[in-house]
Amino acid sequence: MHGTLSLAKYSLGVGDRFAHQAKPQLQACRMAAEQGVEVIPVWNKSNREHTLIGSTPADTRAAADEAVRELGWSKPYYVDADHINLGTVDKFVEACDFFTIDVADLIGRPCAAAALQAFVKAHPELRGELRIPGVARRFDIGQEFLAQVANKYLAAVEEAGRIYRRLEAKKGKGQFITEVSMDETDSPQTPAELLIILVAVAAEGIPIQTIAPKFTGRFDKGVDYAGDLAKFTEEFANDVAVIAFAVRNYGMSGNLKLSVHSGSDKFSLYGPIHRILEKFDAGVHLKTAGTTWLEELIGLAEAGGEGLDLAKEVYAEAYAQREDLCAPYAAVINIDPARLPAPQWVARWSSEQFVSALRHDPNCPAYNPSFRQLLHVGFKVAARMGNRYLRLLSVMETTIAKNVTANLFDRHLKPLFIGE
Ligand SMILES: [Zn+2]
């Protein structure tokens, strides 16, 4: 048994569909460390993803442990049971030491009247004009708003408490990191709502170190942010201020920070977030998982020969099955069918053509966000190819690793944590 696990200020949630890229992912964190910025890697994978691929949490753990050993990484690292609930948590208990408790499904489910009354009564300090240091406008939380927000979220927070306590009983207090996520829901939470949620989480006794609200705007898979950047920036800054306030006033973990479930590659947010973190001396956890799978495809395509052929085959299959592949992600993808090149056309592409359509370089005229998003959700096709796909990952390891590391370091770590 070691002491209480405490997540560092900066951390990066990486994902690896086929458990082959842990090393090049960790290498990106090592490069940040060489520049004097500690970014702690967290390998996250959801139950849905494990099910689609046929992998287990133990596979993720083994890949992470091996990468850490081989690169001689001496700082902490974690394996995150991403988006678990009471029904799915058990199979993650052993392999994971980070748990993202997803209670979004319970948002809006009314809670018991007695619990609601008790909560409102216990928190008279929230009512009326509330000054949060760092927030320009005062919150004006009336009795009615407080009751309405509590009624919307209390049942979800109570469920998070049940899941947390089950984990605590199995793993021991302080032996894992707890995140609560509410991002997979319809409407974003305002900073005032976030404050009420945090107060409820504190009252429920869940020692969260990260919280993932839903932010304003679209966080589509694998492409940049779409929304009102100024509005996001203000909301994010206010959320950071609210968290600092909750830490001071409600005894929450001193390292509590926002977790951004980015859906990968929200490049235009990194600069504004970096400046806010500097201003508030705050930390952040960034989940950008799916980006790595696309770098695998880029690496295969760039290597040419069989690699390029296989990447084209993945696209052709994904194109043929696009309706099925897209259905589970309907709310978080935005594909323009008219922009999807016909597979017969792609079949004639060179490595460079395939790579430049797929690689997320917003300044490249050949970059095609629809092509990219379809492939983002197309990992199931590669999963079905089984060893035919996995073998080429090994054969073309060098080209792939180079892309995985450069993508994470240059396009994510640098702008967000280092500030370049
Ligand atoms: Zn999420």
Side-chain angles (χ1 to χ4, degrees):
M1 280 284 176
H2 31 74
T4 296
L5 295 182
S6 176
L7 186 62
K9 189 173 182 181
Y10 297 150
S11 47
L12 178 73
V14 288
D16 187 356
R17 309 271 192 239
F18 301 101
H20 270 59
Q21 310 307 336
K23 236 194 305 174
Q25 289 171 330
L26 183 59
Q27 175 62 18
C29 290
R30 192 156 85 168
M31 286 161 72
E34 279 161 9
Q35 300 216 357
V37 179
E38 182 188 84
V39 180
I40 295 301
V42 180
W43 279 273
N44 61 255
K45 202 168 196 171
S46 65
N47 188 60
R48 177 171 69 186
E49 209 184 317
H50 278 302
T51 310
L52 286 172
I53 285 174
S55 56
T56 70
D59 300 329
T60 311
R61 163 60 66 186
D65 287 350
E66 191 190 326
V68 163
R69 226 177 14 249
E70 284 189 23
L71 291 193
W73 178 258
S74 56
K75 297 170 198 290
Y77 65 101
Y78 302 94
V79 176
D80 175 6
D82 202 15
H83 288 285
I84 48 94
N85 56 38
L86 213 45
T88 53
V89 62
D90 285 347
K91 65 183 108 157
F92 290 87
V93 167
E94 197 166 308
C96 296
D97 49 11
F98 188 130
F99 293 83
T100 298
I101 300 176
D102 182 348
V103 288
D105 279 355
L106 280 93
I107 295 174
R109 188 175 299 182
C111 65
L116 177 63
Q117 268 175 13
F119 181 81
V120 172
K121 210 173 148 206
H123 297 289
E125 81 285 358
L126 288 174
R127 299 204 302 266
E129 283 215 338
L130 191 58
R131 238 246 7 87
I132 308 276
V135 179
R137 263 183 308 161
R138 278 158 211 242
F139 288 173
D140 194 1
I141 300 177
Q143 166 105 8
E144 204 178 313
F145 180 72
L146 178 59
Q148 187 195 319
V149 175
N151 194 40
K152 186 171 175 188
Y153 291 101
L154 272 186
V157 172
E158 285 166 0
E159 176 80 351
R162 282 187 284 276
I163 298 167
Y164 169 74
R165 287 187 293 275
R166 185 179 182 117
L167 284 165
E168 195 192 80
K170 293 195 177 203
K171 294 196 73 83
K173 199 181 174 90
Q175 302 308 304
F176 57 98
I177 309 283
T178 306
E179 168 164 325
V180 166
S181 69
M182 299 190 167
D183 62 308
E184 295 192 352
T185 185
D186 295 337
S187 51
Q189 292 103 29
T190 64
E193 282 177 307
L194 179 64
L195 175 62
I196 296 167
I197 291 165
L198 289 175
V199 172
V201 169
E204 186 69 27
I206 313 170
I208 56 168
Q209 299 187 29
T210 49
I211 183 150
K214 181 178 171 73
F215 299 102
T216 196
R218 285 189 69 97
F219 286 72
D220 291 333
K221 294 284 179 190
V223 294
D224 203 353
Y225 178 73
D228 183 338
L229 194 54
K231 194 173 166 203
F232 170 87
T233 304
E234 189 192 354
E235 180 186 275
F236 192 90
N238 289 349
D239 283 350
V240 170
V242 158
I243 283 178
F245 182 82
V247 167
R248 279 195 305 276
N249 293 283
Y250 294 91
M252 306 196 80
S253 300
N255 63 341
L256 178 61
K257 58 180 180 174
L258 288 167
S259 173
V260 180
H261 291 203
S262 71
S264 291
D265 293 40
K266 298 301 167 281
F267 298 157
S268 60
L269 304 184
Y270 292 167
I273 292 178
H274 178 80
R275 288 187 285 278
I276 293 165
L277 299 182
E278 290 222 304
K279 185 177 159 204
F280 287 88
D281 190 22
V284 75
H285 181 59
L286 173 76
K287 292 193 187 185
T288 184
T291 196
T292 286
W293 135 252
L294 292 175
E295 294 304 324
E296 275 181 357
L297 278 182
I298 287 170
L300 288 174
E302 198 176 76
E306 300 183 83
L308 178 61
D309 290 344
L310 196 73
K312 287 174 177 175
E313 193 182 326
V314 170
Y315 177 72
E317 284 291 311
Y319 185 88
Q321 301 161 29
R322 59 191 183 277
E323 277 175 27
D324 284 349
L325 292 172
C326 292
Y329 297 96
V332 284
I333 45 176
N334 191 9
I335 293 174
D336 176 1
R339 287 223 56 200
L340 289 174
Q344 309 87 288
W345 181 253
V346 173
R348 292 195 293 268
W349 279 2
S350 66
S351 279
E352 203 198 321
Q353 283 172 300
F354 195 99
V355 168
S356 49
L358 182 54
R359 187 178 276 150
H360 195 174
D361 175 359
N363 298 318
C364 171
Y367 163 58
N368 181 335
S370 292
F371 181 71
R372 182 173 167 87
Q373 285 181 89
L374 178 58
L375 284 168
H376 193 286
V377 300
F379 60 90
K380 214 173 148 180
V381 171
R384 277 197 224 106
M385 290 174 166
N387 277 332
R388 219 152 60 80
Y389 181 77
L390 298 179
R391 186 183 69 82
L392 284 190
L393 289 188
S394 300
V395 173
M396 278 136 195
E397 185 183 337
T398 318
T399 320
I400 294 169
K402 184 188 73 183
N403 281 289
V404 169
T405 302
N407 171 50
L408 283 177
F409 186 71
D410 295 335
R411 294 196 274 271
H412 300 269
L413 292 176
K414 252 187 179 171
L416 182 63
F417 297 113
I418 302 173
E420 284 165 21

